[in-house]
């Protein structure tokens, strides 16, 4: 199984300004450092919890067809773009969205 990040989050759970207020930092010389700490903290928590905290796009590749019901890694799931598979003829097919249900709850 391979899980690959396709689109990184466009926002973080908190802004640098919110972090600076919490830390009581009034200067801007550490802004880049504080922003990198926010990213590192989010990534650590996401890895620890096994779920995404903010919207991002992932690509999941499996070596074999999964058993059902199948739980996607990194919940909460907001949508599925497509399910693709290779047939016995080594041709890639897209499974019709009418063949599966996406539970975003």
């Amino acid at each position: 199984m391979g899980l690959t990040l396709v689109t990184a989050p466009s926002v973080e759970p908190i802004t640098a300004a919110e972090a600076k207020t919490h830390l009581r930092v009034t200067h801007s010389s550490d802004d880049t450092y504080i922003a990198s700490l926010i990213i590192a903290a989010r990534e650590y928590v996401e890895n620890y919890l096994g779920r995404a905290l903010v919207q991002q796009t992932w690509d999941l590749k499996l070596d074999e067809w999964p058993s059902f019901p199948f739980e996607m890694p990194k919940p909460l799931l907001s949508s599925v773009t497509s399910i693709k598979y290779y047939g016995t003829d080594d041709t890639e097919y897209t499974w019709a969205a009418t063949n599966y249900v996406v539970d975003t709850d």
Side-chain angles (χ1 to χ4, degrees):
M1 178 168 87
L3 190 61
T4 307
L5 181 63
V6 175
T7 306
S10 60
V11 297
E12 293 299 330
I14 66 169
T15 65
E18 290 169 328
K20 286 173 66 173
T21 299
H22 175 75
L23 296 168
R24 295 179 176 89
V25 173
T26 56
H27 56 83
S28 61
S29 59
D30 290 328
D31 283 3
T32 302
Y33 177 64
I34 291 170
S36 69
L37 290 176
I38 293 168
I39 294 168
R42 175 191 48 81
E43 289 174 345
Y44 177 84
V45 172
E46 286 179 339
N47 287 331
Y48 181 79
L49 295 176
R51 65 185 321 137
L53 298 180
V54 291
Q55 186 173 348
Q56 43 201 274
T57 303
W58 290 84
D59 186 23
L60 176 64
K61 294 187 181 189
L62 303 173
D63 294 330
E64 59 187 36
W65 199 258
S67 58
F68 291 95
F70 176 71
E71 289 190 30
M72 295 292 291
K74 296 203 176 275
L76 298 167
L77 181 67
S78 60
S79 67
V80 172
T81 303
S82 65
I83 297 177
K84 297 183 179 188
Y85 64 95
Y86 285 94
T88 55
D89 59 354
D90 280 340
T91 301
E92 183 180 76
Y93 298 95
T94 300
W95 206 24
T98 55
N99 291 337
Y100 59 91
V101 175
V102 177
D103 183 357
T104 58
D105 291 335

